[in-house]
Amino acid sequence: MAKSYYSMVLDHPADDVWAVIRPFDHYAWAGVESETVIEHGKAGDQVGAIRRVTSGGRVLRQILLAHSDTDRFYTYGFCGAPPFPVQDYVATLRVTPVVADNTSFVEWWATFDCAAEERDKWVNHFEKEGFAKWLAALRQFMAKQQGRGPRRNLTSAVRPVA
Amino acid sequence: MAKSYYSMVLDHPADDVWAVIRPFDHYAWAGVESETVIEHGKAGDQVGAIRRVTSGGRVLRQILLAHSDTDRFYTYGFCGAPPFPVQDYVATLRVTPVVADNTSFVEWWATFDCAAEERDKWVNHFEKEGFAKWLAALRQFMAKQQGRGPRRNLTSAVRPVA
Amino acid sequence: MAKSYYSMVLDHPADDVWAVIRPFDHYAWAGVESETVIEHGKAGDQVGAIRRVTSGGRVLRQILLAHSDTDRFYTYGFCGAPPFPVQDYVATLRVTPVVADNTSFVEWWATFDCAAEERDKWVNHFEKEGFAKWLAALRQFMAKQQGRGPRRNLTSAVRPVA
Amino acid sequence: MAKSYYSMVLDHPADDVWAVIRPFDHYAWAGVESETVIEHGKAGDQVGAIRRVTSGGRVLRQILLAHSDTDRFYTYGFCGAPPFPVQDYVATLRVTPVVADNTSFVEWWATFDCAAEERDKWVNHFEKEGFAKWLAALRQFMAKQQGRGPRRNLTSAVRPVA
């Protein structure tokens, strides 16, 4: 199984990080200059929603396959061929609390298939050119946001009531 | 951990069963006479959606906590106090394909807390008076539906494209 | 991700099925004529144990990577190159109770990498020539065994006491 | 569901931490003065093994319920009544790599049942008097060990070869 995996600790509570990344149509935090819209008027936390990311003249379409507010993760794949020569690319982004100091552990991974001789290349590519950079951008995004005021309020809207 | 668990094999493909049960606002298949609406115009596959089930003059409110089209499950809890003396009730309903004969394995479980001396009572209650009956009703619902024509088409809308 | 998956319902309680398949050095149930020994005197439920399967003059070595008596599964991989041109083959065999009629749901899956043009071939091969046949053999094994007396006793040794 | 959960980041690679904690009969790292032996000559990575912890004149017996070298976790419960008034106590200890800086994320949690009015008390107790302290002791243990030489070699023995 070709699998790329990256993880990082962020200096913010898990609920705060989740509040930022949980909407599937919010992608500004990843530091990718793009316009992201959800097709057909669906919501950013609606499983089956397709987001259309326009970046540098290129258009990507990704579908939300799973979303959990209990385990703070979402899973997505591509609609149609992905923009690199791999198949069955499915990725998950998850946030878990680090209780000891009220920070968070963020993981991003993808499984996919590709030509056998290109496996190491793509495993590395997604980890280093993708997940590592986007999570570094998320760290910056969280830091800036903190300067702008508390995020805690956001969280209350999305936490389980049960 | 107080946990109730029930499971059953249904004579229908997993995708067909999932197509029926996946909308959080569809509850007719469970054989409970009720009116179910989702609050605030949210969708039945939108995590965070609250369904309001009116049955026999009683109103229940339940929130969708997680939903996965890849693993065909959804998880929900109660908003406010549940209609029985238990706490932190969280339930999951999941469908898995039985490849050998193209049928499906359906599981329903809940975890919760309650008075120690009532634990066995409630574990049994949810299993036998809840999950077992609702899944038996689902079996009937699927059987009747089959008589009304193919369900396969429904499925195509909700399967991962990735 | 190249993944082979097969599942089947067996007419025996999950604990009975698990009692038969749980020892990593017991492989007779799979209908493969072979001699299976665990290297270095390790036990069949010891994670890290390596089994040496000699069958038709060929020798396979497989390592036990995970084992769970709570979820009734074990996971294994190959030591050295597997006997087919795939990489990173890791397989899991799991048993879950079908509560409704006290039978069991048995799943067997593997993830691996291989040449892109051979993916469908190997996905199919493991499902149909491997898991499907071995589980059919397990069904026969369980049926014969039943004739020879109760298996329930075996189970008590391996169930959680907690 | 009564659940206690604690997590911490340790300044050591996940494989090094796992190499220390993976033997069920090694408990010195937790900072509890005790003598720990496995009954009946079983191994510390053998599922079903029972460890007998003698500490301050008290004897605890715990059974290994699951162990995974792929996901670096083990799960255990009590044999007989636990030394506190709770039921069905089952705990898991897991290590995950923090790829960004080659450290590790360690989680320890337990689920159990108890008297309703004592739930908060025990949830807190296991988190703060148990997991938090034992993981703090593990941190110290790892720090001291580092002074004594490399641990990497240990790891090679337990990592999947597949």
Side-chain angles (χ1 to χ4, degrees), chain A residues 1-7 62 65 74-78 82 84 86-94 107-114 119 122-128 130-132 134-135, chain B residues 162, chain C residues 1-2 111 113, chain D residues 99:
Chain A
M1 170 181 72
K3 182 175 180 177
S4 295
Y5 176 89
Y6 197 83
S7 55
Q62 294 178 322
L65 298 172
Y74 69 74
T75 298
Y76 62 96
F78 282 93
F84 13 74
V86 308
Q87 276 184 285
D88 289 340
Y89 179 100
V90 174
T92 296
L93 177 56
R94 181 169 60 183
E107 300 168 281
W108 203 330
W109 70 87
T111 55
F112 59 92
D113 282 326
C114 66
R119 196 178 69 136
W122 289 113
V123 166
N124 265 295
H125 180 80
F126 297 133
E127 280 174 14
K128 300 200 177 110
F131 309 153
W134 303 329
L135 289 182
Chain C
M1 171 181 72
T111 56
D113 282 325
Chain D
V99 176

Side-chain angles (χ1 to χ4, degrees), chain A residues 89-108:
Chain A
Y89 179 100
V90 174
T92 296
L93 177 56
R94 181 169 60 183
V95 188
T96 310
V98 181
V99 176
D101 53 7
N102 200 23
T103 60
S104 58
F105 175 61
V106 187
E107 300 168 281
W108 203 330

Side-chain angles (χ1 to χ4, degrees), chain B residues 1-2 87-88 112-113 119, chain D residues 1-2 87-88 112-113 119:
Chain B
M1 171 180 72
Q87 277 184 283
D88 289 340
F112 58 91
D113 282 326
R119 195 178 70 136
Chain D
M1 169 181 72
Q87 278 184 282
D88 289 340
F112 58 92
D113 282 327
R119 196 179 67 136

Side-chain angles (χ1 to χ4, degrees), chain B residues 35-145:
Chain B
E35 192 191 49
T36 301
V37 294
I38 300 265
E39 300 184 352
H40 307 301
K42 290 201 172 186
D45 48 11
Q46 188 172 356
V47 181
I50 292 172
R51 71 179 175 194
R52 198 180 189 89
V53 182
T54 309
S55 175
R58 204 168 56 170
V59 177
L60 295 184
R61 293 174 73 236
Q62 293 178 323
I63 182 166
L64 185 62
L65 298 172
H67 176 114
S68 173
D69 280 339
T70 43
D71 295 322
R72 297 182 203 79
F73 75 81
Y74 69 74
T75 298
Y76 62 96
F78 282 93
C79 297
F84 15 73
V86 309
Q87 277 184 283
D88 289 340
Y89 179 101
V90 174
T92 296
L93 177 56
R94 181 170 60 185
V95 188
T96 309
V98 181
V99 176
D101 54 6
N102 200 23
T103 60
S104 58
F105 175 61
V106 187
E107 299 168 282
W108 203 331
W109 70 88
T111 56
F112 58 91
D113 282 326
C114 67
E117 63 276 16
E118 293 199 328
R119 195 178 70 136
D120 292 350
K121 171 185 156 185
W122 289 113
V123 166
N124 264 296
H125 180 80
F126 297 133
E127 280 174 15
K128 301 201 177 107
E129 300 305 313
F131 310 153
K133 291 192 174 173
W134 302 330
L135 289 182
L138 173 58
R139 170 175 280 167
Q140 288 195 305
F141 187 92
M142 297 294 304
K144 273 185 211 157
Q145 194 185 47

Side-chain angles (χ1 to χ4, degrees), chain D residues 99-154:
Chain D
V99 176
D101 53 7
N102 200 24
T103 59
S104 58
F105 176 60
V106 187
E107 299 168 282
W108 203 330
W109 70 87
T111 56
F112 58 92
D113 282 327
C114 66
E117 62 277 14
E118 294 199 328
R119 196 179 67 136
D120 293 348
K121 171 186 156 184
W122 289 112
V123 166
N124 264 295
H125 180 80
F126 297 134
E127 281 174 14
K128 300 198 178 111
E129 301 304 313
F131 310 153
K133 291 191 174 174
W134 302 330
L135 289 182
L138 173 58
R139 169 174 283 166
Q140 288 195 305
F141 187 92
M142 296 294 303
K144 272 184 213 159
Q145 194 185 48
Q146 206 170 29
R148 290 211 308 267
R151 296 295 296 179
R152 291 298 164 78
N153 338 17
L154 267 190

